[in-house]
Amino acid sequence: MPTGYFITLEGGEGAGKTTLLTHLARKLETLGHPTLTTREPGGTPLGNILRQLLLESDRLAPTTELLLYAADRAEHVSQTIQPALNGGKIVLCDRYTDSTVAYQGYGRQLDLDLIQQLNQIATCGLAPHLTFWLDLPVETGLKRAGDRAKNMGQSLDRLEQTPLDFHHRLHHGFRQLAEQNGDRIARLDATQPPDCLATAAWVLLTTRWPELAQTAQSRSTPAQP
Ligand code: Z5A
């Protein structure tokens, strides 16, 4: 029976997921909670190869893309996420199944039922206990991602070059997911500065699981999420 906590972060380009994930991981580790940070695509050795294929290929057929994300996830769940949860860790994952629904479903307009089935197969039914949706206007996210790429001397990657209406469709997709899964998905206003966003997420996290606000040593018994 898994005893860990599975938390995912979702949102569009430049929403601030990686920044928030780093803040939360640092805070949890300071309190002594065993924490694993990971991401999709790319949370395993195979996943890193798939990530390169997915993010660097000029043009993949949408169905090919969908199947590669599913393969990445199947490997990630079985080799990384599930073992960490079985070991009682807090798993913080940058993107998971909701990204497939938003990007491949709403964005690329592939069949949503098929995506749900593939997600079910790839995850063996493992759903996050809590998901933070970083809600940011599309234009703000694209500007942030563009500025970051320029500062690092990189060109915008393939997905960031896609038309604006694609990004609006996937934003709508995340909104739909949040409305349909209100008990799992917590919306965060991602226009806030990083520190405020991190505080808002921490309050939500520790309201749900007060034991995580204490040091790991002071927890008497492991709580079930
Ligand atoms: N994808 C998919 O299509 N289907 C799937 O099933 C899955 C994924 C799992 C992964 O790209 C791509 O895979 C992604 C979807 C697709 N599409 N694209 N492109 P990635 O891993 O390379 O990148 P990303 O996941 O899209 O994240 P990102 O663009 O790197 O953004 P982020 O992690 O959300 O944000 P960040 O790196 O923390 O911050 C971005 C910049 O904004 C940076 O300069 C920060 O300093 C700044 N920032 C961060 N937070 C703030 C706040 N709060 N205020 C102001 N500025 C901030």
Side-chain angles (χ1 to χ4, degrees), residues 15-220:
K17 301 179 309 302
T18 312
T19 306
L20 176 60
L21 185 144
T22 307
H23 265 90
L24 292 176
R26 199 176 303 132
K27 184 102 178 147
L28 288 164
E29 280 160 2
T30 303
L31 290 167
H33 300 297
T35 303
L36 174 84
T37 61
T38 187
R39 67 175 176 182
E40 290 194 359
T44 60
L46 173 68
N48 279 322
I49 296 169
L50 294 175
R51 179 180 177 88
Q52 215 172 342
L53 283 173
L54 281 159
L55 300 189
E56 290 176 15
S57 300
D58 272 350
R59 188 100 207 116
L60 293 174
T63 309
T64 311
E65 198 183 56
L66 173 66
L67 292 171
L68 290 179
Y69 281 115
D72 169 68
R73 182 161 304 129
E75 185 75 359
H76 193 204
V77 168
S78 73
Q79 302 299 323
T80 305
I81 299 175
Q82 192 66 69
L85 292 174
N86 291 346
K89 290 193 177 166
I90 301 166
V91 176
L92 295 174
C93 185
D94 194 337
R95 299 197 181 280
Y96 192 60
T97 47
D98 296 324
S99 278
T100 316
V101 175
Y103 279 79
Q104 279 64 52
Y106 286 84
R108 301 250 179 264
Q109 299 178 307
L110 295 178
D111 185 84
L112 287 171
D113 289 337
L114 172 69
I115 290 173
Q116 296 291 10
Q117 286 174 40
L118 266 178
N119 275 341
Q120 183 68 22
I121 292 168
T123 62
C124 293
L126 179 71
H129 300 118
L130 174 64
T131 297
F132 290 119
W133 169 39
L134 279 72
D135 184 8
L136 186 70
V138 165
E139 291 79 4
T140 314
L142 290 176
K143 174 151 181 13
R144 280 188 198 168
D147 288 349
R148 183 191 48 192
K150 262 188 246 155
N151 289 339
M152 296 174 78
Q154 296 167 345
S155 68
L156 296 179
D157 68 25
R158 186 175 58 90
L159 281 170
E160 284 164 353
Q161 290 167 22
T162 50
L164 200 57
D165 68 326
F166 173 89
H167 293 282
H168 281 292
R169 282 202 302 277
L170 72 90
H171 184 263
H172 173 69
F174 279 123
R175 184 184 301 285
Q176 294 285 108
L177 280 163
E179 282 172 11
Q180 292 158 7
N181 300 275
D183 49 343
R184 171 174 67 83
I185 301 181
R187 176 190 171 274
L188 291 171
D189 174 3
T191 62
Q192 302 174 80
D195 284 352
C196 299
L197 193 60
T199 302
W202 184 252
V203 168
L204 282 168
L205 191 72
T206 53
T207 300
R208 183 169 298 215
W209 298 304
E211 67 276 15
L212 295 186
Q214 306 164 19
T215 60
Q217 292 76 13
S218 65
R219 273 205 271 150
S220 47

